[in-house]
Amino acid sequence: MSRKGFHPESVSPGTRSVWAGEEEYLLQGSTQVPVVHSVSFGYENLEDWHEVALGKREGHIYSRITNPTVKVFEEKVRCLEGAEAAVSFATGMAAISASLFTFLSPGSRVVAIKDTYGGTNKLFLDFLPRFHVETVLCDTHDFAGIEAEMDQGCDLLYLETPTNPTLKVVDVERLSRAAHGQGGLVVVDNTFATPINQNPLNLGADLVIHSATKFLGGHADALGGIVCGPEELVRKVYHYREINGGTLHPMAAYLLLRGMKTLHLRVRQQNESALTIARWLESQPQVDRVYYPGLESHPHYETARKQMRGFGGVLSFSLEGGFDAVRSFLPHLRLAHLAANLGSVETVAGPPRTTSHVECTEEERRAMGIPEGLIRYSVGIEETEDLLADLKQALDRLPRRTGVSSGK
Ligand SMILES: *Cc1c(COP(=O)(O)O)cnc(C)c1O
């Protein structure tokens, strides 16, 4: 499948994000992937059409099923995750819900963590029970507890690491082994890490999911989702999408592809800035606690080092003074959108209270270990020193507390 003898597997991930998946789809010498805005694909004879429809020959029939631009996006992410196959979706949530509804049936038992993405959590609590699927949500940091829960039966283990918004890290290798011991399928949401920093399939996961809306696209201008894994499993998820219809739009696929050309450069910069900023924040008196897997103070720093090549572009920190402090601090940031997304080229900041966990009560957030003074800070690609200066000027406006010990 490769002109010039190019094999994506033989080059490093950064090079894959530039070149992988494209050449077969370039049109009349174009160097860029065309956006194929066609609902259907015509045939000159019925035999060819029939063979494509039966899957006996490569080709496209109808864009809910396959589309050339969308295919390139799937192929690029597939190469980055080192998977056999990939299938994309209109959003990350469509990818997650399709994966769950493909593999679960009445009576199935899901073991998951408490800290999954807000929408995913709603699937577990509000939607799956209606189909008589039992979901047990375990304390994210308690690996032995998750294993014990799986001993009671596990058809599907659902993980996310690092988690939103407190950047907890789960040991994918250890928990995958336990799930497989029960015959369970392991699904990992890799959105926060990106394939540049972490490849869950290499750690034992069966399926890896991304909200491409975040780091993969990287420019906050297109929604998308993707599921990668072995051909045999992905084929089933693909069939679900073919019928349920949560297909990625070709224009969105194009925007995501364009964003992915710089994935490795962005992520490298974001890893570096986030670590520098996290370390700096830890030493600031107005800051109560910093949550970032690259800090030695992180409870699962060793696990993070074992399974990640970089610690990602999202960090959180809590301010002394709770939500009142957050309310006065955030509007002073000049180099951050106050918004709900993350993983973009611009820095984005927001409190879980109005973003990821808006639907929870204060009690529920406390039970999840989310302090009211927490701020999620998704580092963009700005120069690190400018972000540090911006954070400093905003922190300096907060009243300094004297004689208050946070037990840090
Ligand atoms: C944003 C996000 C999702 C949902 O993705 P959408 O594209 O918004 O549907 C799922 N998981 C994580 C970790 C996310 O950050």
Side-chain angles (χ1 to χ4, degrees), residues 91-93 96 117 160 189 191-192 211 213-214 223-224 342:
T91 65
M93 279 315 302
I96 293 165
Y117 178 74
E160 196 175 311
D189 182 335
T191 302
F192 268 47
S211 166
T213 314
K214 313 294 171 51
L223 294 154
L342 59 94

Side-chain angles (χ1 to χ4, degrees), residues 219-279:
H219 292 69
D221 57 1
L223 294 154
I226 192 157
V227 180
C228 306
E231 175 74 42
E232 186 205 341
L233 298 178
V234 171
R235 199 187 311 122
K236 292 178 182 165
V237 184
Y238 163 76
H239 182 60
Y240 183 95
R241 188 205 67 187
E242 183 183 14
I243 304 306
N244 284 269
T247 309
L248 181 64
H249 191 279
M251 190 62 208
Y254 173 80
L255 290 168
L256 297 171
L257 278 168
R258 183 173 160 132
M260 281 181 66
K261 295 273 179 176
T262 55
L263 178 67
H264 61 303
L265 299 177
R266 287 186 279 109
V267 171
R268 206 183 288 162
Q269 173 72 24
Q270 286 163 321
N271 284 342
E272 201 182 299
S273 286
L275 184 57
T276 305
I277 290 167
R279 285 184 176 146

Side-chain angles (χ1 to χ4, degrees), residues 74-75 77-78 83-88 226-229 234:
E74 290 169 341
E75 181 61 12
V77 184
R78 182 195 73 75
E84 255 175 47
V87 57
S88 61
I226 192 157
V227 180
C228 306
V234 171

